[in-house]
């Protein structure tokens, strides 16, 4: 991409709220159930049915607004009218000109601030499957509709067009996802569709030129495809302009396997949605007391959580570059409480952070519900040298599978009795006696040979020996 | 408020397509004069100066009506699907769809 | 004395006797089923009569009484339900082909409340398709006839319910009133019809026409019976977000408190252009109220003249959206086509009648880009002005009085060619719906043609108590009206149309 071109990017993120029931009826909000089992007169659009707003959904939407520093305002619901078979009533109930949350912002980990124009509530559609060779809508012989998802609560978060690079776009979605998870509003699972991203992309020459004509890209199913699609789309627009053509305002579809976008429809086809106030619902007017109560229940946000871990490391000399990455990982995965509780129980911050980012993170879902006390005990055993790193990993796997347990007992069951000092000393002594040349050089100051002897001891003990204890015994023998 | 232009046959055809209704030429003619007559009668409303008057969408001023996030019993799937014109694989079957949702 | 064999017994009396074990619910039901059997071919009040289900309900009421239980305030009282009220497992068609064969998997809240009160439902009544009309002539199965003159309309849209009560098919019926659809047919058929305050009766399970205006209400032969039924169906329902969560007026207990000390305004605008015999009855009713101690004043609310226009922008706007769901995907009629959009169009074009199409298109037009402000939003502002006008009037008086309709029942077919003339028959009922207020039509003698005239009392929100007290006074002073003769039977007619909706 030629250097004079810059991108202008705005993102629209749809996030499914983690409620027990749907937005306007008491059907379960669940993913993956048998088709058309979680349905009632309301979410099937049966004649005579009426919507009733889910209070929990409103509070989660307010929590998102609070986390994104929005003004939470009196709001109303409108009907967005269009015919489509996945839309049970052939209109969608959505907040239109009076959304619940407006004018907020999200700070990215590097300090860059992205404006949030609005975060409003709306209902999801049913799910359409296309029957035919392609599996896509084009070329399908017919389609099948499942209304289980119909009426699932969504919040649509619309950013200001403040984002300038695809990296920033990815960082925004990653950080927003972490905020949604931390606020308890969403599970943030892009792969299950509980978080969906549309990107508005335009290009211009230089950083101060007026915005160019934008295109909206749909079907971005991962942070990776978001980055790829933005890069592709920006380059497509630049090529068009540089060849003397102009960009047409369009909605475009991202094809992940082909790595390209293609036109879905242009602005001239803009649909007349005939928005009007939903007469079956009444205005939503949160008062200051309610807004405060929601804010009070809101946990720490990712930025605050990262700062908390960095602070713990500052006391121990400050985070290294690798540790900054580890901090981001554990906070994004919602595992930072494990680190903090382990440190509070006396475990070193560096060990707790590294084990959490590298080991617990491999099964983050299980780690999020792991008993923190058991986890701290495990790290303590490792720090004391009672368990080797390899043994500790094996015990952790069992803890994660069970959600907790007694690490010492698990270690015993696995036969991970820490080697007695005598038996360790005997093994080290044997390694020294069978390798007199290396031992002489070690005694003369070649410290690299400590690794050689440790390796021999580990081999002899099948990894059961504690590395630190071996090093201490070697130093003792050298005198 | 400026009065809108009189309803034309083309307007009626456009509206019918938005509303997914197919009209014969005769129906189009009849509906055009009938709707125009109603809209002409509504000129007493559309021509009024009502700047500054708040619209009333709900006659009774009620706010914050909500329910608890508690699951209710769903409909029996067999009963739901028995009402459907066409079903396959426990889903509602429709002919091919020509485009994405607008 | 009645052509129907025996004088109809009021619901209040029937329920009291059934509860006391002096009358069996089955006996009451069989009497009414026999009346239906004898005259339904002439009146055509029903889309569906359900004798088997009714007998089951009636036997259950009798069994409860036999066990010493109280079946409730409507014990054993037959009732007819407008066919836009969802009844579990029973066809609910809104008199439209598009809902052909649809059986709701759930009951409307009012249906549940009726069953809990011991009422016995005898069937579903004919109506203008999706409640869009003022004569029951837009029904897909053909019109209901006015029991007082079978060549005349019963009014609409709840024409079947009004006719069913007038013909003695049931002492009670439920209708829905969006722009006058209870009061206008009640007036034309010579029965009592109450449109309650918006939000006092749950709309859950009422198939929507215009959601911000629709309200379910009672038809009855007497004011007391209407009060009894309102007390049963009213009250908060958590399934309807617009249901008022505050005490609903209980009206039966205050009925005989009279109007002494009330101020009642005769609404000047409602007397503009009405037939002289209708106007004369309104003045006669005013005299009766004065004689009972009310102060009568002439009141002007000029804003109500804008009601008709505003209504025909707002109601179709909401309707165009409410009726989008009839798309051939999930229930009801489907007419096949190559693709889904084509199937939607084929289904809707075949399933909806002309009046419904007209209103859907009108509503789509007034909500569409470029016209929304001039029409729909402007109409919502007029709604504000109408409410302000009524507020001014109610600062001066407790109730308003006027005619329910400008004329008595008109001939079948008289207004079907020109929609606007049909719409004008609701001119005196529409402003009440726009304001969300209650109003009641009470039979008050006949016109020069011998057909029933209804006078209308209007009140502010939640003034049902005052309204019913006034209605009781008017009823007591009403000139006599002969019961329906049901002699001018029009055999032949459009018999084949009756197969249209099953």
């Amino acid at each position: 991409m030629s250097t004079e071109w810059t991108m202008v990017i705005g993102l629209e993120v749809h996030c499914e709220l983690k409620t027990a029931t749907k937005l306007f009826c008491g059907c379960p909000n669940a993913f993956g159930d048998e088709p058309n089992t979680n349905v009632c007169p309301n979410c099937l659009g049966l004649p005579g049915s009426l919507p009733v707003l889910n209070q929990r959904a409103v509070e989660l939407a307010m929590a998102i607004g609070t986390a994104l520093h929005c003004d939470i305002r009196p709001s109303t619901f409108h009907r967005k009218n269009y015919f489509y078979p996945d839309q049970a009533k052939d209109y969608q109930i959505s907040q239109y000109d009076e959304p619940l949350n407006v004018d907020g912002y999200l700070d990215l980990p590097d300090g860059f601030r992205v404006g949030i124009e609005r975060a409003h509530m709306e209902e999801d559609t049913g799910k359409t499957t296309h029957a035919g060779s392609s599996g896509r809508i084009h070329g399908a012989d017919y389609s099948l509709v499942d209304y289980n998802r119909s009426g699932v609560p969504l919040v649509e978060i619309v950013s200001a067009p403040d984002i300038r690079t695809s990296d920033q776009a990815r960082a925004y979605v990653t950080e927003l996802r972490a905020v949604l998870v931390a606020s308890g509003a969403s599970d943030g699972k892009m792969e299950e569709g509980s978080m969906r991203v549309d990107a508005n992309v335009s290009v211009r020459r230089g950083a101060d030129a007026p915005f160019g004509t934008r295109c909206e890209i749909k079907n971005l199913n991962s942070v990776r495809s978001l980055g790829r699609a933005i890069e592709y789309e920006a380059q497509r627009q630049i090529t068009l302009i540089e060849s003397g053509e102009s960009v047409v305002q369009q909605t475009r579809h991202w094809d992940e396997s082909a790595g390209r976008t293609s036109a879905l429809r242009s602005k001239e086809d803009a649909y007349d949605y005939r928005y009007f106030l939903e007469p079956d619902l009444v205005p939503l007017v949160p008062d200051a007391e309610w807004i405060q109560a929601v804010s009070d229940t809101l946990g720490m946000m990712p930025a605050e959580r990262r700062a908390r871990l960095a602070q713990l490391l500052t006391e121990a000399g400050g985070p290294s570059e690798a540790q900054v990455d580890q901090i981001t990982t554990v906070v994004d995965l919602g595992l930072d409480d494990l680190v903090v509780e382990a440190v509070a129980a006396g475990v070193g911050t560096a060990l707790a952070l590294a084990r959490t980012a590298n080991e617990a993170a491999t099964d983050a879902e299980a780690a999020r519900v792991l008993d923190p006390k058991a986890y701290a005990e495990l790290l303590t055993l490792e720090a004391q040298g009672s368990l080797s790193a390899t043994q500790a990993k094996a015990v952790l796997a069992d803890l994660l599978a069970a959600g907790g347990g007694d690490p010492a007992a698990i270690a015993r069951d696995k036969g991970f009795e820490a080697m007695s000092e005598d038996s360790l000393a005997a093994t080290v002594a044997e390694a020294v006696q069978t390798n007199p040349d290396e031992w002489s050089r070690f005694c003369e100051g070649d410290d690299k040979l400590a690794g050689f002897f440790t390796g021999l001891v580990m081999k002899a003990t099948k990894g059961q020996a504690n590395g630190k204890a071996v090093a201490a015994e070697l130093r003792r023998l050298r005198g | 408020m400026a009065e809108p232009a009189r309803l034309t046959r083309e307007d009626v055809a456009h509206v019918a397509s938005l509303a997914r209704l197919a009209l014969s030429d005769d129906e189009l003619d009849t509906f055009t004069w009938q709707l125009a007559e109603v809209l002409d009668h509504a000129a007493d409303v559309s021509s009024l100066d009502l700047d500054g008057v708040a619209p009333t969408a709900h006659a009774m001023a009620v706010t914050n009506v909500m329910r608890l996030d508690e699951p209710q019993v769903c409909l029996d799937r067999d009963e739901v699907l028995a009402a459907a014109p066409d079903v396959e694989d426990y889903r509602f079957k429709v002919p091919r769809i020509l485009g994405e949702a607008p | 004395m009645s052509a129907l064999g025996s004088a109809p017994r009021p619901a209040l009396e029937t329920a009291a006797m059934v509860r006391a074990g002096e009358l069996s619910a089955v006996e009451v039901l069989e009497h009414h089923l026999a009346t239906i059997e004898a005259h339904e071919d002439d009146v055509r009040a029903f889309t569906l009569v359900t004798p088997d289900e009714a007998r089951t309900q009636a036997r259950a009421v009798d069994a409860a009484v036999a066990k010493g239980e109280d079946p409730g305030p409507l014990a054993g009282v037959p009732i007819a339900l407008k066919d836009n009220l969802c009844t579990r497992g029973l066809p609910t068609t809104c008199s439209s082909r598009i809902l052909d064969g649809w059986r709701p998997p759930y009951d409307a809240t009012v249906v549940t409340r009726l069953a809990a009160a011991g009422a016995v439902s005898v069937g579903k009544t004919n109506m203008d398709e999706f409640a869009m009309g003022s004569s029951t002539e837009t029904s897909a199965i053909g019109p209901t006839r006015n029991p007082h003159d079978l060549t005349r309309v019963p009014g609409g849209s709840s024409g079947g319910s009004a006719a069913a009560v007038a013909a003695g098919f049931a002492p009670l019926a439920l209708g829905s009133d969006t722009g006058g659809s209870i009061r206008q047919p009640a007036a034309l058929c010579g029965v009592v019809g109450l449109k309650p305050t918006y939000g006092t009766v749950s709309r859950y399970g009422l198939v929507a026409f215009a959601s911000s205006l629709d309200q379910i209400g009672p038809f009855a032969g007497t004011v007391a019976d209407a009060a009894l039924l309102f007390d049963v169906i009213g009250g908060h329902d958590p399934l309807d977000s617009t249901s008022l969560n505050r005490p609903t007026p209980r009206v039966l207990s205050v009925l005989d408190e009279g109007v002494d000390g009330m101020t009642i305004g005769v609404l000047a605008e409602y007397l503009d252009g009405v037939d002289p015999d209708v106007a004369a009855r309104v003045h006669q009713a005013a005299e009766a109220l004065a004689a009972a101690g009310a102060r009568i004043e002439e009141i002007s609310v000029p804003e109500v003249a804008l009601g008709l226009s505003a209504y025909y922008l707002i109601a179709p706007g909401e309707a165009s959206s409410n009726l989008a769901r009839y798309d051939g995907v999930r229930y009801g009629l489907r007419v096949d086509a190559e693709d889904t959009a084509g199937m939607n169009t084929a289904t809707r074009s075949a399933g909806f009648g002309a009046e419904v199409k007209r209103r859907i298109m009108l509503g789509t037009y007034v909500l569409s880009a470029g016209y929304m402000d001039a029409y729909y939003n402007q109409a919502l502002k007029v709604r504000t002005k109408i409410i302000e006008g009524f507020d001014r009037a109610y600062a001066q008086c407790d109730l308003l009085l006027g005619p329910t309709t400008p004329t008595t029942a008109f001939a079948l077919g008289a207004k079907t060619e020109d929609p606007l003339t049909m719409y004008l028959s609701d001119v005196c009922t529409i402003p009440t719906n726009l304001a969300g207020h209650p109003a009641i039509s009470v039979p008050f003698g006949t016109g020069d043609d011998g057909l029933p005239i209804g006078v209308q009392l209007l009140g502010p929100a939640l003034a049902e108590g005052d309204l019913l007290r006034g209605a009781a006074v008017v009823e007591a002073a009403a000139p006599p009206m002969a019961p329906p003769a049901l002699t001018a039977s029009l055999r032949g007619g459009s018999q084949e149309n009756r197969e249209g909706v099953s």
Side-chain angles (χ1 to χ4, degrees):
Chain A
M1 180 165 150
S2 86
T3 49
E4 63 175 306
W5 288 100
T6 59
M7 301 181 202
V8 175
I9 303 160
L11 298 177
E12 295 171 13
V13 174
H14 283 86
C15 122
E16 283 183 356
L17 297 179
K18 222 167 60 180
T19 53
T21 66
K22 295 183 180 182
L23 186 52
F24 297 118
C25 62
C27 291
N29 170 12
F31 178 82
D33 285 352
E34 279 289 297
N36 292 308
T37 51
N38 297 333
V39 293
C40 73
N42 183 268
C43 54
L44 278 175
L46 296 191
S49 63
L50 293 171
V52 185
L53 185 59
N54 180 341
Q55 180 170 340
R56 176 78 183 144
V58 173
E59 287 171 354
L60 292 179
M62 285 163 68
I64 291 173
T66 307
L68 296 175
H69 313 280
C70 292
D71 286 341
I72 300 175
R73 295 208 306 211
S75 61
T76 52
F77 291 90
H78 276 65
R79 291 188 186 175
K80 178 181 182 180
N81 294 287
Y82 66 92
F83 283 92
Y84 209 71
D86 64 11
Q87 191 70 264
K89 304 180 293 296
D90 289 294
Y91 57 80
Q92 180 193 30
I93 304 178
S94 175
Q95 296 196 307
Y96 177 54
D97 56 0
E98 296 174 298
L100 182 65
N101 306 301
V102 296
D103 293 338
Y105 61 86
L106 176 66
D107 286 336
L108 305 189
D110 66 1
F112 185 79
R113 177 166 291 187
V114 179
I116 303 291
E117 291 184 350
R118 57 189 285 159
H120 68 263
M121 309 179 71
E122 62 186 30
E123 57 176 342
D124 209 344
T125 63
K127 196 169 181 343
T128 308
T129 339
H130 306 293
S133 49
S134 69
R136 279 197 58 193
I137 189 165
H138 298 293
D141 302 322
Y142 58 89
S143 298
L144 300 172
V145 195
D146 166 17
Y147 292 99
N148 278 352
R149 203 182 62 186
S150 165
V152 161
L154 298 176
V155 165
E156 180 178 351
I157 300 151
V158 182
S159 86
D162 291 346
I163 300 166
R164 294 292 173 266
T165 67
S166 62
D167 282 348
Q168 268 177 359
R170 297 185 337 171
Y172 169 85
V173 170
T174 305
E175 182 67 4
L176 180 59
R177 185 182 168 285
V179 167
L180 294 173
V181 171
S183 65
S186 173
D187 61 18
K189 288 181 186 161
M190 282 185 91
E191 62 282 5
E192 286 183 9
S194 59
M195 204 175 140
R196 308 194 279 270
V197 184
D198 299 334
N200 283 293
V201 179
S202 66
V203 295
R204 56 177 170 171
R205 287 180 195 273
D208 301 315
F211 289 178
T213 303
R214 68 188 155 89
C215 289
E216 182 180 8
I217 315 170
K218 292 193 174 288
N219 193 41
L220 304 171
N221 296 323
S222 67
V223 174
R224 182 169 173 271
S225 38
L226 171 70
R228 290 179 70 204
I230 289 172
E231 288 295 335
Y232 173 88
E233 177 60 20
Q235 193 53 54
R236 186 190 71 86
Q237 294 181 12
I238 291 164
T239 307
L240 270 180
I241 298 169
E242 287 185 337
S243 64
E245 296 177 61
S246 54
V247 176
V248 180
Q249 187 171 337
Q250 279 174 334
T251 302
R252 299 180 67 84
H253 178 92
W254 170 248
D255 184 336
E256 179 68 29
S257 51
R260 56 189 299 273
T261 64
S262 56
L264 276 177
R265 60 183 171 269
S266 69
K267 193 195 173 198
E268 286 67 45
D269 305 329
Y271 196 80
D272 188 348
Y273 291 117
R274 290 157 285 137
Y275 281 100
F276 75 106
L277 208 62
E278 163 59 281
D280 289 329
L281 291 169
V282 301
L284 178 62
V285 186
D287 60 19
E289 200 181 331
W290 190 19
I291 294 170
Q292 188 59 48
V294 169
S295 168
D296 288 347
T297 60
L298 200 61
M300 256 187 283
M301 287 301 111
E304 208 180 328
R305 289 173 179 276
R306 285 191 296 266
R308 179 173 64 152
L309 293 184
Q311 178 65 30
L312 289 174
L313 285 163
T314 306
E315 286 155 11
S320 66
E321 209 165 297
Q323 284 172 327
V324 169
D325 288 347
Q326 289 174 349
I327 288 174
T328 304
T329 303
V330 298
V331 170
D332 283 353
L333 295 173
L335 301 178
D336 52 315
D337 283 344
L338 280 180
V339 178
V340 171
E341 296 199 36
V343 171
V347 179
T349 308
L351 175 68
L353 181 62
R355 285 290 170 272
T356 311
N358 300 329
E359 314 303 339
T362 55
D363 189 357
E365 204 162 328
R368 273 195 289 273
V369 294
L370 176 63
D371 173 17
K373 226 176 108 207
Y375 186 62
E377 281 168 20
L378 171 66
L379 295 184
T380 304
L381 288 174
E382 186 185 349
Q384 287 168 347
S386 305
L387 288 178
S388 70
T390 313
Q391 290 170 332
K393 279 180 204 173
V395 174
L396 178 61
D398 277 25
L399 284 179
L400 288 174
D406 177 358
I410 296 171
R412 265 197 307 281
D413 289 351
K414 287 186 174 300
F416 293 166
E417 290 294 349
M419 295 183 72
S420 70
E421 283 182 34
D422 288 354
S423 117
L424 180 72
T427 312
V428 174
E430 190 184 339
V432 168
Q433 282 158 18
T434 50
N435 296 281
D437 291 350
E438 285 79 3
W439 178 248
S440 317
R441 274 158 49 204
F442 177 68
C443 290
E444 283 154 18
D446 188 349
D447 286 342
K448 285 201 296 292
L449 284 162
F452 168 75
F453 285 108
T454 306
L456 289 177
V457 173
M458 287 298 175
K459 201 171 165 191
T461 60
K462 297 189 171 64
Q464 304 295 302
N466 183 291
K468 285 181 196 162
V470 175
E473 178 64 10
L474 286 170
R475 277 196 304 276
R476 194 185 65 79
L477 286 178
R478 190 165 64 175
Chain B
M1 168 100 20
E3 274 190 54
R6 198 161 203 276
L7 182 83
T8 64
R9 204 169 183 276
E10 288 65 40
D11 291 333
V12 176
H14 171 68
V15 161
S17 113
L18 262 183
R20 300 253 157 117
L21 291 170
L23 301 182
S24 68
D25 280 356
D26 281 355
E27 283 177 310
L28 206 48
D29 290 337
T30 311
F31 285 140
T32 301
W33 79 256
Q34 287 175 335
L35 297 185
E37 188 185 44
V38 175
L39 290 168
D40 286 348
H41 188 270
D44 62 349
V45 160
S46 58
S47 62
L48 286 178
D49 180 3
L50 295 173
D51 278 357
V53 176
T56 297
H58 287 103
M60 306 299 284
V62 177
T63 58
N64 294 347
V65 176
M66 286 171 284
R67 63 180 176 82
L68 296 177
D69 186 26
E70 289 166 357
Q72 303 295 317
V73 179
C74 294
L75 288 173
D76 175 66
R77 179 165 72 179
D78 292 340
E79 190 176 5
V80 165
L81 296 177
D86 201 0
V87 169
E88 183 176 300
D89 201 15
Y90 302 108
R91 294 168 173 88
F92 295 85
K93 185 176 177 183
V94 294
R96 61 203 170 91
I97 303 170
L98 294 184
E100 307 277 349
Chain C
M1 86 181 222
S2 153
L4 307 183
S6 63
R9 187 181 276 123
L12 205 53
E13 198 180 316
T14 297
M17 291 173 73
V18 170
R19 288 166 108 174
E22 295 161 8
L23 188 62
S24 96
V26 169
E27 198 182 318
V28 174
L29 173 66
E30 293 303 336
H31 165 79
H32 286 92
L33 289 177
T35 310
I36 293 170
E37 176 71 33
H39 299 289
E40 169 62 1
D41 277 355
D42 292 333
V43 179
R44 305 181 181 188
F46 291 95
T47 56
L48 177 74
V49 181
T50 54
D52 294 343
E53 290 79 2
R55 288 186 177 109
T56 304
Q57 282 183 312
R59 278 195 293 269
V61 168
D62 286 338
V65 172
K67 276 193 286 181
E69 294 164 8
D70 181 3
L74 292 178
V77 178
I79 186 163
L81 306 174
K82 189 175 182 178
D83 203 20
N84 59 357
L85 297 170
C86 287
T87 43
R88 190 186 165 100
L90 289 176
T92 299
T93 68
C94 295
S95 293
S96 178
R97 272 190 295 275
I98 209 151
L99 277 174
D100 200 4
W102 184 59
R103 291 163 189 264
Y106 73 110
D107 276 329
T109 294
V110 289
V111 173
T112 307
R113 289 188 180 177
L114 287 176
V120 174
S121 165
V122 293
K124 309 294 289 286
T125 61
N126 196 21
M127 55 188 278
D128 281 297
E129 185 178 4
F130 282 100
M132 297 176 186
S134 308
S135 66
T136 320
E137 290 168 294
T138 71
S139 164
I141 63 164
T144 294
R145 284 86 173 273
N146 192 318
H148 289 271
D149 179 346
L150 297 175
T151 67
R152 309 243 172 186
V153 301
S157 66
S158 314
S161 288
V165 173
F169 296 164
L172 299 177
L174 283 185
S176 63
D177 191 317
T178 306
S181 283
I182 290 174
R183 290 159 289 155
Q184 187 257 19
L188 301 193
C189 289
V191 299
V192 177
L194 168 66
K195 184 265 164 193
T197 303
Y198 187 81
T200 54
V201 182
S202 169
R203 293 184 298 115
Y204 185 75
L206 166 67
V207 181
F209 161 17
S211 314
S212 79
L213 303 166
D214 295 342
Q215 193 63 185
I216 296 169
F219 284 95
T222 67
V223 171
D225 278 1
L228 170 71
L229 180 50
F230 176 68
D231 281 350
V232 167
I233 61 173
H236 180 242
D237 179 11
L239 299 177
D240 174 359
S241 302
T242 61
S243 165
L244 297 176
N245 192 1
R246 62 179 91 163
T248 298
R250 310 299 291 178
V251 291
L252 187 59
S253 55
V254 301
L255 261 195
D256 50 7
E257 290 179 13
V259 293
D260 194 13
M262 276 193 202
T263 304
I264 297 174
V266 178
L267 188 53
E269 283 75 15
Y270 276 19
L271 289 168
D272 278 353
V274 308
D275 284 357
D277 52 346
V278 174
R281 291 302 192 191
V282 172
H283 290 301
Q284 197 182 342
E287 285 162 21
L289 289 161
R295 206 170 71 162
I296 303 296
E297 286 184 3
E298 182 160 313
I299 291 273
S300 171
V301 182
E303 292 90 342
V304 299
L306 297 168
L308 189 80
S309 292
Y311 175 84
Y312 278 98
L313 300 173
I314 293 170
E318 292 184 16
S320 69
S321 175
N322 282 331
L323 271 65
R325 67 188 62 189
Y326 305 104
D327 58 9
V329 175
R330 292 161 300 277
Y331 45 81
L333 183 73
R334 170 182 291 189
V335 176
D336 277 317
E338 284 292 295
D339 62 85
T340 290
M343 181 275 285
N344 296 152
T345 303
T347 299
R348 293 165 61 78
S349 302
F352 290 135
E355 182 60 27
V356 171
K357 288 179 187 171
R358 203 147 40 226
R359 299 213 198 177
I360 288 174
M361 287 193 294
L362 183 58
T364 305
Y365 183 71
V366 302
L367 290 178
S368 64
Y371 300 101
M372 180 98 181
D373 282 334
Y375 290 123
Y376 188 76
N377 289 338
Q378 187 81 348
L380 295 184
K381 292 179 175 183
V382 167
R383 201 169 172 183
T384 307
K385 300 300 286 181
I386 289 171
I387 292 171
E388 288 172 3
F390 275 126
D391 285 350
R392 234 178 24 248
Y394 290 125
Q396 268 179 270
C397 50
D398 300 292
L399 299 173
L400 296 175
L401 176 71
T404 308
T405 60
T407 67
T408 57
F410 45 90
L412 285 160
K415 299 187 180 185
T416 45
E417 293 306 308
D418 185 352
L420 187 59
T421 59
M422 183 72 87
Y423 297 172
L424 286 166
S425 67
D426 289 334
V427 71
C428 299
T429 47
I430 279 170
T432 288
N433 298 80
L434 292 171
H437 292 168
I440 189 167
S441 179
V442 184
F444 200 80
T446 53
D448 298 342
D449 51 11
L451 292 169
I453 284 175
V455 298
Q456 188 181 198
L457 281 166
L458 298 79
L462 298 171
E464 274 83 353
D466 287 353
L467 205 60
L468 274 285
R469 283 163 61 191
V473 169
V474 170
E475 178 182 53
M481 179 180 69
L486 288 177
T487 48
S489 170
L490 284 186
R491 303 268 172 211
S494 49
Q495 207 77 25
E496 67 283 359
N497 282 345
R498 296 191 54 77
E499 312 308 320
V501 171
S502 58

